[in-house]
């Protein structure tokens, strides 16, 4: 029971269940959490740190979560906030972060594919709460409305509304706007 | 009647594959504005799909990162789940407050039932005590001064006799006088 002079007190009952359940949630949604944090922090290492810190904060505050069916949405929100804090902190700490999502984007200069990606990331990063995860699950993971609803603990109608709001936001991108102008001409 | 927007929305929501939307674009004579809107959304979906590859970690990276998260969680102190959660096969669901109240009522009812079960034991003990007193009375074990077993008396009769004898004796302590300069304590 005691090894190396250290005692480990293993939590009992629902405490064990709680941790195991939360670990499953993290494992099943890691890609989603990463995809939500990445457009904000832009660096893989910083993204991993943000997801880890977000998961830890969420775990510590599980007692405040009212509905366990909403855990994924809740976790995404926490990770997103951690990523935003990290982006702000880096922006303050170093003046090098010129492509921060907090910065206004120059929408007139759109060139190569990578620039388009940057703009798209900017737009995803600035999506309001609840929209980014729907966009990520729909277009990055290829889930359908019902599957997204089940994953996020939302009704199908709520998912539809968020999806179309998110798309409306993303349609403001210049290249896409230009494309429609080209088509019209 | 289903319009082109319905088809496009169905595609955006995942109900149709891209080929269906493309077919619609080519088969149906669409106004320029509608065609532009379709092109815009198809392009947006393409761009988002391409982004997915960039913004997703590799399986190995994700696996290592998840492992680190689990290590951190394992070092955390135990967390209590909210009281209204219900666990079934390791998955929690939110119980309603009514359920919480009902559970507390059931627990209280269980406690009352336990008390009810213990009452006959107490009653049995009391019966045994009464029987013992009767046995003592019948056997004449009581002292002459203790024959009076009136429950309303403050002291047993024998004890009162002892008090009387003590009061009459001269060994009773004299009343205590307070030290000089101090008021006597009022009863």
């Amino acid at each position: 029971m005691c090894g190396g002079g250290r005692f480990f007190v293993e939590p009992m009952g629902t405490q064990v269940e709680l941790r195991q359940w939360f670990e499953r949630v993290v494992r099943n949604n890691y890609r989603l959490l990463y995809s939500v944090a990445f457009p904000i922090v832009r660096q893989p290492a910083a993204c991993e740190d943000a997801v880890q810190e977000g998961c830890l904060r969420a775990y510590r505050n599980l007692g405040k979560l009212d509905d366990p069916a909403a855990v994924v949405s809740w976790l995404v929100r926490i990770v997103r906030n951690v990523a935003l804090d990290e982006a702000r902190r880096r922006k303050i700490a170093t003046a090098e972060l010129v492509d921060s999502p907090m910065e206004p984007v120059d929408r007139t200069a759109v060139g190569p594919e990578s620039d388009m990606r940057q703009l798209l990331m900017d737009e995803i990063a600035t999506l309001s709460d609840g929209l980014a995860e729907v966009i990520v699950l729909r277009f990055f993971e290829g889930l359908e409305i019902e599957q997204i609803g089940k994953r996020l603990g939302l009704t199908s109608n709520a998912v539809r509304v968020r999806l179309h709001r998110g798309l409306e936001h993303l349609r403001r991108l210049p290249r896409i706007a230009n494309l429609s102008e080209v088509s019209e001409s | 009647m289903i319009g082109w927007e319905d088809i496009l929305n169905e595609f955006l929501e995942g109900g149709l594959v891209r080929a269906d939307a493309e077919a619609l674009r080519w088969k149906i004579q669409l106004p320029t504005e509608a065609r532009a809107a379709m092109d815009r959304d198809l392009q947006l979906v393409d761009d988002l799909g391409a982004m997915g590859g960039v913004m997703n970690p590799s399986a190995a990276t994700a696996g290592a990162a998840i492992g680190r998260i689990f290590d951190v969680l394992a070092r955390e102190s135990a967390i209590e789940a909210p009281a209204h959660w219900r666990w079934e096969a390791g998955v929690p669901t939110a119980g309603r407050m009514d359920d919480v109240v009902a559970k507390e009522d059931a627990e209280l009812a269980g406690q009352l039932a336990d008390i009810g079960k213990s009452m006959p034991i107490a009653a049995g003990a009391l019966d045994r005590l009464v029987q013992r007193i009767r046995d003592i009375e019948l056997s004449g074990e009581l002292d002459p001064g203790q024959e009076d077993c009136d429950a309303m008396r403050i002291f047993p009769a024998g004890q009162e006799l002892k008090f009387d004898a003590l009061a009459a004796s001269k060994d009773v302590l004299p009343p205590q006088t307070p030290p000089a300069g101090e008021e006597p304590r009022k009863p």
Side-chain angles (χ1 to χ4, degrees):
Chain A
M1 292 300 286
C2 152
R6 295 181 64 186
F7 289 90
F8 292 94
V9 179
E10 186 64 24
M12 301 297 289
T14 54
Q15 292 176 345
V16 173
E17 285 182 310
L18 187 68
R19 199 177 74 202
Q20 290 174 344
W21 168 74
F22 187 74
E23 286 176 353
R24 281 200 304 276
V25 170
V26 171
R27 190 187 301 116
N28 295 340
N29 294 282
Y30 185 80
R31 280 162 57 96
L32 168 64
L33 300 173
Y34 189 96
S35 299
V36 169
F38 192 86
I40 301 171
V41 293
R42 305 291 170 93
Q43 291 177 359
C47 188
E48 285 176 16
D49 289 347
V51 173
Q52 180 173 316
E53 177 61 23
C55 290
L56 188 58
R57 282 191 201 177
Y59 182 66
R60 286 175 180 159
N61 289 287
L62 268 178
K64 296 175 187 171
L65 179 61
D66 185 51
D67 183 4
V71 66
V72 178
S73 296
W74 185 67
L75 190 52
V76 165
R77 200 177 315 134
I78 292 172
V79 167
R80 189 171 178 275
N81 287 336
V82 170
L84 286 168
D85 288 345
E86 171 63 14
R88 286 191 197 101
R89 193 186 62 77
R90 282 164 51 197
K91 186 180 166 191
I92 292 167
T94 65
E96 294 169 6
L97 193 66
V98 290
D99 60 344
S100 161
M102 302 300 116
E103 292 286 326
V105 179
D106 180 8
R107 296 172 189 285
T108 56
V110 182
E113 193 70 22
S114 59
D115 289 350
M116 183 60 208
R117 280 185 190 161
Q118 292 295 321
L119 289 174
L120 203 47
M121 278 195 200
D122 289 338
E123 291 299 325
I124 292 172
T126 54
L127 285 174
S128 55
D129 259 353
L131 303 188
E133 58 261 42
V134 172
I135 293 291
V136 165
L137 288 174
R138 171 67 197 95
F139 297 108
F140 293 5
E141 299 201 15
L143 300 188
E144 293 181 16
I145 296 290
E146 288 75 17
Q147 292 170 316
I148 297 170
K150 199 174 175 184
R151 187 98 163 250
L152 298 178
L154 298 171
T155 64
S156 294
N157 279 339
V159 175
R160 270 193 194 91
V161 168
R162 290 185 186 195
L163 178 67
H164 287 284
R165 275 191 197 157
L167 286 171
E168 196 55 45
H169 190 92
L170 298 178
R171 282 179 188 126
R172 296 190 308 219
L173 284 168
R175 174 171 150 181
I176 292 165
N178 289 345
L179 191 68
S180 62
E181 285 166 17
V182 170
S183 300
E184 282 168 14
S185 63
Chain B
M1 184 181 170
I2 297 174
W4 68 271
E5 285 173 312
D6 299 315
I7 302 287
L8 183 61
N9 281 337
E10 194 69 21
F11 163 64
L12 293 173
E13 292 172 8
L16 291 176
V17 294
R18 186 186 177 88
D20 294 326
E22 289 277 7
L24 173 78
R25 184 182 181 282
W26 292 109
K27 284 179 185 172
I28 301 176
Q29 188 66 31
L30 291 172
T32 309
E33 193 178 321
R35 189 176 296 274
M38 284 201 75
D39 287 343
R40 179 193 62 190
D41 281 356
L42 291 173
Q43 183 64 47
L44 178 57
V45 171
D46 284 348
D47 289 336
L48 285 170
M51 285 275 296
V54 177
M55 288 167 50
N56 271 330
S58 67
T61 308
I66 291 169
R68 284 194 295 276
I69 293 172
F70 288 0
D71 288 343
V72 171
L73 293 181
R75 286 199 297 271
E76 281 292 302
S77 54
I79 305 291
E80 291 282 349
H84 64 281
W85 285 15
R86 298 284 170 270
W87 291 87
E88 286 178 24
V91 178
T93 52
R96 293 177 296 119
M97 278 311 291
D98 293 349
D99 297 337
V100 177
V101 172
K103 187 191 173 192
E104 286 175 356
D105 284 351
E107 284 173 359
L108 189 59
Q111 288 170 6
L112 290 174
D114 289 342
I115 292 170
K117 285 175 190 169
S118 65
M119 287 299 281
I121 297 169
L126 188 61
D127 288 345
R128 285 196 297 278
L129 185 62
V130 169
Q131 187 59 45
R132 174 66 182 149
I133 291 169
R134 283 179 185 158
D135 291 345
I136 290 169
E137 284 174 350
L138 290 173
S139 65
E141 286 179 17
L142 289 175
D143 291 339
Q146 292 178 328
E147 285 174 356
D148 185 0
C149 291
D150 184 358
M152 297 303 290
R153 295 177 71 97
I154 297 174
F155 303 108
Q159 192 67 38
E160 283 187 346
L161 289 174
K162 288 178 184 173
F163 286 153
D164 291 343
L166 187 66
S169 73
K170 295 176 182 178
D171 296 335
V172 177
L173 292 171
Q176 292 183 346
T177 52
E182 191 174 307
E183 289 291 321
R185 190 173 294 169
K186 291 180 181 175

